[in-house]
Amino acid sequence: MNIQVLHPNPTQVASERLRPAPEVSDAVAHAVTGPDEAPGITAAASPGGAGESGLQGERRDQYVFGEKGETAGLYRMTKDEDGNPVVRFDDPKAAEKERAAREKEAEAKEKKAEEEEARTRTTIDTGRVDREIEELKEQVEDLEQRLNYGGSLVDAEKVERELTFAKIELHLKDNDTYRRANAQVTRG
């Protein structure tokens, strides 16, 4: 930091350099600002003499100590890892941006999970059930042929009973409900 000391011009007459400032009364100072209008700003003029600065009638700001308020969200002084002073930007919308980024990331994960689930296929195989039903149909045809070509009476009753049971079993198994219930499910 460069400090310069300014000296008065030596050609000036001492009376010009040290001209006294006009005195200002408290009533006049309060007439301009009002006693309670501008907190933190005081008039340094006093009727009896010079203030802290040595000048009479001067108005100046005064620092009032208080707690730090909420930042406006612009800039603040901090220190970096090495202890050097750094100016940082506090974005008031940073929390909103961060929340939006988290939501976007969650949506991406959800979409990825849905795509992976779509790639995982479930296969339902009804081949075994279809073969079982075909065997029952063939059995019913064979029993009907045996019954039509005749044979002994005892044998005919036995074939007719078997044919009735085969038709009932075929009727119970030859439907979509039985196929779905007994199908082979493969995932992967």
Side-chain angles (χ1 to χ4, degrees), residues 23-164:
E23 293 197 18
V24 178
S25 69
D26 283 339
V28 173
H30 288 306
V32 175
T33 62
D36 296 324
E37 276 184 25
I41 299 176
T42 59
S46 63
E52 291 177 15
S53 66
L55 299 175
Q56 290 181 334
E58 175 188 6
R59 284 193 187 161
R60 59 187 170 85
D61 291 341
Q62 178 182 8
Y63 179 74
V64 178
F65 292 97
E67 292 184 24
K68 288 186 177 181
E70 187 95 10
T71 62
L74 298 177
Y75 296 95
R76 64 184 170 97
M77 287 293 295
T78 60
K79 296 191 177 196
D80 63 1
E81 309 80 45
D82 300 330
N84 299 326
V86 177
V87 177
R88 302 213 184 210
F89 179 68
D90 285 335
D91 189 1
K93 297 178 183 177
E96 185 178 318
K97 290 176 184 177
E98 187 176 316
R99 182 185 53 78
R102 282 195 306 259
E103 286 178 1
K104 195 173 186 179
E105 184 178 317
E107 287 176 9
K109 283 183 180 179
E110 209 173 285
K111 187 176 180 181
K112 184 178 178 182
E114 287 175 6
E115 288 174 358
E116 192 170 313
E117 186 178 318
R119 281 184 275 166
T120 305
R121 299 212 172 140
T122 303
T123 307
I124 299 175
D125 184 21
T126 58
R128 184 181 55 82
V129 177
D130 291 337
R131 283 190 299 276
E132 183 181 346
I133 292 170
E134 286 301 316
E135 287 175 7
L136 276 173
K137 286 180 181 178
E138 287 176 9
Q139 184 181 358
V140 167
E141 284 180 26
D142 287 343
L143 290 172
E144 284 176 347
Q145 285 177 1
R146 278 178 56 192
L147 193 66
N148 286 340
Y149 287 119
S152 68
L153 190 59
V154 177
D155 196 32
E157 286 178 7
K158 183 179 172 187
V159 171
E160 195 171 316
R161 197 174 319 123
E162 284 179 30
L163 179 62
T164 305

